[in-house]
């Protein structure tokens, strides 16, 4: 079991007795890049949050590297949706990145110079070191996304859970996110990424998890990213909305 | 001292100003994190909701200076925060509405109890609303060789506690205010810290209640941090600046309360009210400054 970075069994999450996720079971092998795909309201963000214990689970079990999340915090990094925080908060980019180190620093201890150095190194890796001392509202959307990724990188985790890191970013940010994903995989680590653009799924990921409140399919891109599965995940909507994407999707399947 | 006009009596006005400064600094320290969490109104809710706690403890013990009164009020204040959260989490009512339900109900209950109590003992609904900071020097206790107003001692303790909390948990408070989700995944219990913050808001509201009442204390929780936020983009600077602004407004407010009415031929007005007015003016000035800064930043970037 320990070759699974994440294993989910019979997961059910309900919001006001309305099930958002029902009977999900899947495993994510260590070292894979997984795209979570599904229509709006499919429960993609909820899935990540439920795994991390941010929303209560009604039933089922989630294991990270074979153990409960609270015992694996040091190996799991979470990149929330960019819109989930207040970017007017009076704090610099480098301070946000240093937050990734707070667990290591521990309760009550202050952030030290070496922590800020590590944060700056992570910003440099994301190519935005020059903005380290800027207040975060003065950053573009793409730069803000890179700050979030730098904050995850500084945690030096083995599994990265990312909620739409590609949403509303410029082309160069998208490229550097892809490079980071590749680097994560090259280091033998794992990333699970909520993704919207069906056209790039084949290029970016090697595994796919198709979701629409229930698990539609989970497996390698070649096995799972198929027209019938997409149709089952998106219903009739896909045909109207994403025709070019479908064309790409069918191309070599 | 320039402030010491003919009307300023150090043995009276000095202590009133000290009490006002202690209230303002204690409140603005914790108020920063309410403002940053966009939960400023919780200060309003809690400071109203402590009323039944105060009234019950008052009815119970018949005195205004007892520890039970303090504890009772703080408990009800925390209860208000918890109930608000609980109603909101039920999902059918938004936060503003659930706050409105909880604190008006508790406040009304407190008012009923106080009016009932006022029949028998000396507790004035006017004092409840606006405080009686002018009476600070009338209730002295001896501390070693010194005579110190009782209120000043209580407020000093609260200030030290709030200071320890904000300085000691600065990193944790900023993390849980900015990104509670990340805080939870890192193992920092954002909810516990939030409840602790609520407890301190309640305790501060109770301590300040006697001096500035439960309406104007909201100005002390919210206005200095909001003003400081306009003037700086650094959290540490914001917290320190809010404390300074609160203290300055407290002293200026009391000075204005005994001076300004004289210019117009009135007798002196309420100190607590004047402090809130001065804070409000300070906010307006800060707003104008921030507009100017934004305008000059725009013209700079246009030139670049």
């Amino acid at each position: 079991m320990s070759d699974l970075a994440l294993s989910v069994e019979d997961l059910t999450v309900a919001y006001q007795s309305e099930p958002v996720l029902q009977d999900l079971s899947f495993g994510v092998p260590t070292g894979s890049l997984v795209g979570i795909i599904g229509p709006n309201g499919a429960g993609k963000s909820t899935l990540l949050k439920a795994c991390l214990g941010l929303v209560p689970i009604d039933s089922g079990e989630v294991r990270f590297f074979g153990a409960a999340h609270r015992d694996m915090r040091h190996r799991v990094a979470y990149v929330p949706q960019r819109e989930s925080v207040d970017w007017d908060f009076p704090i610099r980019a480098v301070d946000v990145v240093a937050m990734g180190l707070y667990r290591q620093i521990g309760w009550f201890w202050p952030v030290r110079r070496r922590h800020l150095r590590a944060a700056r190194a992570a910003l440099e890796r994301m190519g935005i070191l020059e903005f380290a001392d800027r207040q975060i509202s003065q950053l573009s959307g793409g730069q803000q996304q890179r700050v979030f990724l730098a904050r995850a990188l500084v945690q030096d985790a083995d599994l990265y859970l990312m909620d739409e890191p590609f949403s509303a970013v410029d082309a160069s940010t998208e490229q550097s996110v892809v490079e980071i994903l590749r680097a994560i995989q090259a280091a033998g680590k794992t990333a699970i990424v909520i993704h919207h653009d069906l056209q790039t799924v084949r290029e970016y990921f090697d595994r796919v998890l198709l979701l629409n409140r229930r698990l539609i399919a989970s497996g390698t891109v070649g096995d799972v990213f198929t027209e019938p599965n997409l149709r089952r995940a998106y219903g009739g909507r896909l045909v109207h909305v994403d025709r070019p994407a479908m064309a790409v999707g069918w191309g070599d399947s | 001292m320039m402030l010491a006009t003919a009307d300023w009596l150090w043995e009276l006005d000095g202590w009133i100003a000290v009490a006002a400064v202690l209230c303002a600094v204690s409140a603005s320290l914790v108020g920063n994190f309410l403002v940053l969490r966009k939960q400023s109104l919780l200060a309003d809710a809690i400071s109203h909701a402590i009323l039944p706690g105060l009234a019950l403890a008052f009815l119970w013990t018949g005195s205004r200076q007892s520890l039970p009164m303090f504890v009772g009020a703080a408990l009800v204040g925390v209860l208000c925060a918890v109930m608000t959260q609980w109603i909101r989490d039920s999902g059918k009512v938004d936060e503003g509405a659930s706050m409105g339900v909880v604190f008006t109900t508790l406040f009304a209950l407190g008012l009923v109890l106080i009016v009932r109590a006022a029949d028998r003992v000396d507790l004035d609904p006017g004092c409840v609303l606006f405080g009686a900071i002018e009476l600070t020097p009338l209730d002295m206790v001896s501390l070693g060789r010194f005579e110190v107003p009782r209120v000043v001692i209580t407020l000093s303790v609260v200030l030290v506690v709030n200071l320890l909390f904000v300085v000691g948990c600065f990193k944790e408070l900023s993390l849980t205010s900015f990104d509670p989700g990340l805080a939870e995944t890192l193992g920092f219990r954002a909810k516990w810290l939030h409840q602790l913050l609520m407890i301190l808001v309640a305790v501060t509201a109770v301590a300040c209640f006697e001096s500035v009442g439960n309406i104007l204390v909201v100005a002390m929780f919210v206005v200095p941090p909001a003003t400081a936020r306009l003037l700086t983009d650094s959290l540490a600077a914001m917290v320190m600046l809010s404390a300074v602004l609160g203290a300055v407004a407290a002293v200026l407010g009391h000075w204005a309360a005994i001076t300004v009415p004289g210019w117009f031929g009135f007798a002196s007005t309420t100190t607590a009210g004047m402090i809130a007015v001065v804070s409000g003016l300070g906010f307006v000035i800060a707003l104008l400054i921030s507009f100017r800064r934004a305008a000059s930043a725009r013209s700079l970037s246009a030139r670049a």
Side-chain angles (χ1 to χ4, degrees):
Chain A
M1 284 299 283
S2 60
D3 57 338
L4 288 182
L6 171 67
S7 70
V8 170
E9 254 174 86
D10 299 323
L11 178 71
T12 296
V13 176
Y15 183 64
Q16 289 178 38
S17 71
E18 175 95 359
V20 183
L21 295 172
Q22 243 178 325
D23 300 325
L24 255 60
S25 295
F26 62 89
V28 172
T30 300
S32 51
L33 293 182
V34 183
I36 300 183
I37 317 286
N40 289 332
K44 303 184 293 290
S45 292
T46 306
L47 173 59
L48 291 193
K49 288 180 184 164
C51 289
L52 291 163
L54 296 176
V55 298
I57 290 176
D58 284 71
S59 63
E61 195 176 35
V62 177
R63 306 214 135 242
F64 290 91
F65 303 103
H69 175 247
R70 66 173 173 278
D71 299 321
M72 285 292 153
R73 290 189 200 283
H74 58 292
R75 298 184 67 183
V76 181
Y78 172 47
V79 181
Q81 264 180 51
R82 184 156 52 84
E83 295 80 22
S84 69
V85 303
D86 169 22
W87 289 95
D88 282 327
F89 203 82
I91 198 172
R92 295 172 303 166
V94 65
D95 300 319
V96 173
V97 177
M99 284 179 173
L101 296 166
Y102 279 13
R103 197 192 53 76
Q104 283 143 267
I105 299 171
W107 275 93
F108 310 122
W109 290 97
V111 178
R112 310 282 286 273
R113 194 165 295 168
R114 65 190 154 94
H115 302 126
L116 291 177
R117 262 203 305 276
R120 281 178 199 279
L123 283 170
E124 186 165 28
R125 218 177 135 192
M126 292 308 306
I128 49 166
L129 180 60
E130 53 189 308
F131 304 120
D133 293 311
R134 284 227 190 146
Q135 198 257 327
I136 50 177
S137 68
Q138 294 164 14
L139 304 174
S140 71
Q143 289 160 351
Q144 291 174 346
Q145 190 62 58
R146 291 182 200 215
V147 168
F148 260 16
L149 281 163
R151 188 177 70 176
L153 288 178
V154 87
Q155 293 181 51
D156 197 26
D158 295 318
L159 170 62
Y160 295 82
L161 304 179
M162 304 184 184
D163 198 340
E164 297 203 30
F166 294 106
S167 116
V169 298
D170 53 291
S172 85
T173 299
E174 174 143 359
Q175 198 48 49
S176 63
V177 176
V178 171
E179 279 163 23
I180 289 301
L181 289 178
R182 300 245 187 280
I184 286 171
Q185 191 173 37
K189 299 174 171 187
T190 316
I192 303 174
V193 180
I194 294 177
H195 193 56
H196 256 310
D197 181 8
L198 296 178
Q199 300 188 54
T200 50
V201 169
R202 278 166 192 286
E203 192 188 330
Y204 293 170
F205 303 105
D206 52 25
R207 292 181 72 88
V208 166
L209 197 139
L210 272 165
L211 188 69
N212 192 351
R213 303 206 162 208
R214 292 166 182 277
L215 185 70
I216 305 297
S218 163
T220 60
V221 173
D223 290 344
V224 167
F225 197 64
T226 60
E227 188 224 332
N229 278 341
L230 284 170
R231 204 177 286 282
R232 278 171 63 212
Y234 284 82
R237 279 171 288 174
L238 186 68
V239 180
H240 310 292
V241 180
D242 285 307
R243 191 176 289 276
M246 286 298 288
V248 174
W250 299 341
D252 44 357
S253 60
Chain B
M1 179 163 170
M2 216 180 70
L3 279 180
T5 53
D7 298 328
W8 185 282
L9 302 168
W10 277 104
E11 59 272 31
L12 297 181
D13 298 301
W15 281 125
I16 294 174
V18 167
V21 167
L22 290 172
C23 281
V25 176
S26 311
S28 52
L29 279 177
V30 285
N32 278 290
F33 297 96
L34 292 175
V35 169
L36 289 175
R37 287 162 193 238
K38 304 192 189 302
Q39 291 185 311
S40 309
L41 272 179
L42 255 180
D44 198 12
I46 289 176
S47 71
H48 281 78
I50 61 177
L51 198 58
L54 286 169
L56 279 176
F58 183 63
L59 282 173
W60 199 298
T61 62
S63 106
R64 281 199 309 188
Q65 44 189 306
S66 52
L67 191 67
M69 187 147 165
F70 207 85
V71 174
L75 279 179
V76 179
V78 174
L79 186 73
C80 168
V82 171
M83 279 164 71
T84 302
Q85 193 105 25
W86 179 64
I87 293 180
R88 192 195 53 186
D89 288 350
S90 76
K92 301 241 193 294
V93 185
D94 73 79
E95 182 162 21
S98 51
M99 222 184 276
V101 170
V102 173
F103 93 75
T104 48
T105 306
L106 287 173
F107 181 67
L109 178 66
L111 210 56
V112 170
L113 287 170
I114 280 207
V115 171
R116 162 107 181 74
D119 290 344
R120 291 190 289 160
V121 273
D122 167 39
L123 191 66
D124 174 16
C127 285
V128 167
L129 296 180
F130 311 117
I133 199 166
E134 291 81 1
L135 304 182
T136 300
L138 300 185
D139 186 4
M140 308 287 274
V141 292
S142 38
L143 198 72
R145 288 175 27 234
F146 299 100
E147 288 274 302
V148 179
R150 184 180 46 79
V151 183
V152 167
I153 296 176
T154 318
L155 287 170
S156 303
V157 173
V158 171
L159 174 62
V160 169
V161 170
N162 285 3
L163 203 59
L164 284 177
F165 176 64
V166 169
V167 173
C169 297
F170 186 77
K171 166 172 118 282
E172 289 75 12
L173 280 167
S174 61
L175 171 64
T176 53
S177 301
F178 176 65
D179 195 342
L182 180 80
E184 291 282 344
T185 65
L186 290 175
F188 293 94
R189 301 307 303 269
K191 280 180 189 136
W192 292 359
L193 206 62
H194 185 73
Q195 294 305 346
L196 193 56
L197 180 64
M198 290 307 118
I199 290 172
L200 288 185
V201 168
V203 166
T204 309
V206 176
C208 296
F209 167 81
E210 210 178 315
S211 298
V212 295
N214 68 354
I215 293 182
L216 297 175
V217 71
V218 182
M220 296 190 157
F221 277 116
V222 176
V223 180
T227 310
R229 178 64 191 92
L230 291 174
L231 299 174
T232 174
D233 277 338
S234 149
L235 181 56
M238 172 181 168
V239 172
M240 287 186 267
L241 191 58
S242 72
V244 172
L245 288 171
V248 170
V251 175
L252 274 181
H254 181 56
W255 173 79
I258 55 179
T259 308
V260 175
W263 299 345
F264 304 100
F266 298 116
S268 78
T269 176
T270 100
T271 290
M274 213 46 149
I275 293 171
V277 169
V278 170
S279 302
L281 287 176
F283 179 83
V284 171
I285 294 169
L287 199 60
L288 295 176
I289 294 174
S290 76
F291 282 155
R292 266 194 71 148
R293 278 208 314 184
S296 66
R298 260 200 306 279
S299 72
L300 265 180
S301 62
R303 248 179 283 157

